[in-house]
């Protein structure tokens, strides 16, 4: 493809979810888990949703918060309402994310015939997937989120039935396709690099790139150096792609397993926000509301990153264990 001055639509997606770090004693663990995974509480500051929402606001950026609501079938709507309220307060958009691991933990059984834990939505048949997405929409609706435009399966664990279930629930966009994740079993797409129409819906796949060591990676905050993110965005813009989908999480800025924030990840997020704000003539951060794509665009190839940005990642990742 030739160089283009098209503005690249960047979707900063933040999977917003709560984990009790195991499934035993979850009622006792939930209040602490909520503080950790939503507020990002650490021994040296809070780096969860309010921190991220404020940083986005200061840079005038739009993000998409994929909120996981199924935990409310166990713990009630209050915590979910608090999450929706926080995001609404900052005027950012909310979409639907489902981790079906919660289904067997519900106070009122969701399916009378299912008692065991099923990790992914693809582990349910198409009719059950329709019901699960409807349940998630309903919970978000009850929590104050009236409009859902997009869906992402937890851990990208979707299959072709998921696309039908998304369409069945009048959700326009699926964001579950991820070439890098073995758990993703959507077979109707072949390594797509930008949004494509599929029946009544649009698939907005995770953006991936080939790193300096010839390995494929998806664009996630803690999985790439800033240089890799920047280079992949610039190349996607030159390819005139219709979408660049980036992944982060509500607790992405915390170090796993310990009560500390991740300095390198925070710095990387700040650099990303500054870069997008400073280059808003080339990159436009978007929500999925009213997403439209042109049909008949060329199929772009995966972008190739040079060695230096990947070496930077290796250096940064080893520093993350130190600081
Ligand atoms: Zn998730």
């Amino acid at each position: 493809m030739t160089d283009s001055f098209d503005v690249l639509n960047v979707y900063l997606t933040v999977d917003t979810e709560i984990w009790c770090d195991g499934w035993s004693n979850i009622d006792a663990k939930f209040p602490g888990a909520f503080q950790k995974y939503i507020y990002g509480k650490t021994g040296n500051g809070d780096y969860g949703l309010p921190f991220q929402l404020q940083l986005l606001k200061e840079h005038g950026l739009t993000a998409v918060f994929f909120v996981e609501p199924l935990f409310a079938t166990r713990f009630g709507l209050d915590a979910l309402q608090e999450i929706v309220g926080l995001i609404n307060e900052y005027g950012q958009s909310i979409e639907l994310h489902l981790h079906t691991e919660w289904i067997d933990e519900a106070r009122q059984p969701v399916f009378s015939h299912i008692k065991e834990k099923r990790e992914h939505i693809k582990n349910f048949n198409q009719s059950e997937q329709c019901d699960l997405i409807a349940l998630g929409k309903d919970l978000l609706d009850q929590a104050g989120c009236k409009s859902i435009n997009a869906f992402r399966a937890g851990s990208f664990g979707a299959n072709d039935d998921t696309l039908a279930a998304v369409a069945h629930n009048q959700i326009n966009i699926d964001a579950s396709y991820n070439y890098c994740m073995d758990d993703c079993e959507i077979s109707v797409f072949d390594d797509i690099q930008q949004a494509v129409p599929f029946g009544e819906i649009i698939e907005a796949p995770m953006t991936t790139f080939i790193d300096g060591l010839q390995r494929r990676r998806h664009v996630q905050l803690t999985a790439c150096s800033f240089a890799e993110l920047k280079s992949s965005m610039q190349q996607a813009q030159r390819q005139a792609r219709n979408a660049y989908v980036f992944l982060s999480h509500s607790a992405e800025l915390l170090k796993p397993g310990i009560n500390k924030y991740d300095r390198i990840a925070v710095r990387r997020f700040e650099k990303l926000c500054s870069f997008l704000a400073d280059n808003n003539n080339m990159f436009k951060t978007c929500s999925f509301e009213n997403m439209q794509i042109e049909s008949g665009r060329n199929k772009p190839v995966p972008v190739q990153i040079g060695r230096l940005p990947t070496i930077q990642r290796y250096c940064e990742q080893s520093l993350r264990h130190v600081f």
Side-chain angles (χ1 to χ4, degrees):
M1 285 186 194
T2 53
D3 278 8
S4 160
F5 291 102
D6 285 357
V7 174
L8 177 66
N9 288 340
V10 174
Y11 298 85
L12 297 175
T13 68
V14 184
D15 290 359
T16 303
E17 56 200 39
I18 301 170
W19 298 104
C20 294
D21 299 336
W23 296 102
S24 62
N25 208 17
I26 59 174
D27 295 313
K29 288 198 254 176
F30 181 74
F34 181 68
Q35 290 302 317
K36 176 181 171 186
Y37 281 90
I38 299 306
Y39 284 92
K41 290 215 177 291
T42 74
N44 47 1
D46 297 355
Y47 290 88
L49 279 192
F51 175 84
Q52 295 169 37
L53 286 160
Q54 184 61 30
L55 204 59
L56 291 163
K57 181 183 175 185
E58 285 167 10
H59 290 86
L61 301 175
T62 297
V64 180
F65 290 82
F66 276 99
V67 175
E68 203 297 315
L70 292 180
F71 76 88
T73 62
R74 173 75 174 216
F75 301 112
L77 281 172
D78 287 357
L80 187 59
Q81 282 167 340
E82 198 168 324
I83 295 169
V84 169
L86 270 173
I87 299 167
N88 280 343
E89 190 186 319
Y90 281 84
Q92 298 287 3
S93 65
I94 294 172
E95 303 296 357
L96 177 63
H97 186 50
L98 289 185
H99 274 282
T100 56
E101 294 97 322
W102 286 106
I103 287 303
D104 64 305
E105 308 288 349
R107 297 259 178 230
Q108 304 291 327
V110 176
F111 300 113
S112 56
H113 62 290
I114 295 174
K115 306 269 191 266
E116 77 285 3
K117 197 163 289 301
R118 295 190 185 181
E119 192 179 353
H120 301 122
I121 196 167
K122 69 183 179 185
N123 303 136
F124 297 80
N125 67 34
Q126 189 180 117
S127 156
E128 291 162 350
Q129 291 195 34
C130 288
D131 291 347
L132 286 167
I133 291 173
L135 172 62
K137 263 182 92 171
D138 184 52
L139 288 166
L140 282 175
D141 181 79
Q142 289 182 59
C145 173
K146 299 301 173 197
S147 161
I148 293 296
N149 309 286
F151 172 77
R152 174 177 288 152
S155 309
F156 299 94
N159 61 10
D160 296 342
D161 288 336
T162 312
L163 305 179
V166 168
H168 178 83
N169 279 284
Q170 283 89 46
I171 295 175
N172 298 327
I173 294 148
D174 179 75
S176 306
Y177 184 79
N178 187 335
Y179 180 84
C180 290
M181 294 288 281
D182 290 341
D183 286 331
C184 181
E185 289 185 14
I186 298 173
S187 68
V188 293
F189 305 120
D190 177 23
D191 195 6
I192 46 175
Q193 292 298 315
Q194 63 174 1
V196 294
F198 181 73
E200 300 156 60
I201 66 170
I202 292 170
E203 178 62 41
M206 268 298 298
T207 296
T208 67
F209 61 86
I210 302 168
D211 76 5
L213 299 174
Q214 303 307 310
R215 296 191 187 119
R216 191 70 76 85
R217 287 184 89 72
H218 69 209
V219 291
Q220 179 176 353
L221 185 69
T222 52
C224 311
S225 67
F226 172 68
E228 287 177 316
L229 294 173
K230 181 179 161 187
S231 175
S232 63
M233 264 187 284
Q234 289 172 326
Q235 292 188 62
Q237 188 269 342
R238 284 197 292 270
Q239 286 184 344
R241 292 191 188 184
N242 60 18
Y244 179 98
V245 180
F246 165 87
L247 173 66
S248 185
H249 289 83
S250 48
E252 188 100 356
L253 303 180
L254 272 58
K255 286 194 170 186
I258 54 172
N259 188 26
K260 281 189 172 172
Y261 75 95
D262 183 335
R263 257 172 226 270
I264 302 279
V266 171
R267 183 75 196 108
R268 200 179 282 161
F269 186 50
E270 288 170 341
K271 278 167 96 170
L272 177 66
C273 289
S274 295
F275 174 77
L276 288 168
D278 293 346
N279 294 279
N280 59 9
N281 58 330
M282 289 169 74
F283 307 104
K284 178 172 184 260
T285 54
C286 303
S287 74
F288 283 117
E289 200 179 353
N290 304 320
M291 182 191 200
Q292 288 185 334
I293 54 169
E294 291 171 31
S295 56
R297 281 192 178 236
N298 293 331
K299 186 180 176 214
V301 294
V303 299
Q304 169 76 58
I305 304 295
R307 276 188 180 225
L308 193 57
T310 297
I311 290 166
Q312 279 178 0
R313 181 199 345 130
Y314 275 85
C315 296
E316 288 178 12
Q317 303 300 59
S318 50
L319 283 175
R320 288 174 67 207
H321 299 295
V322 179
F323 294 107

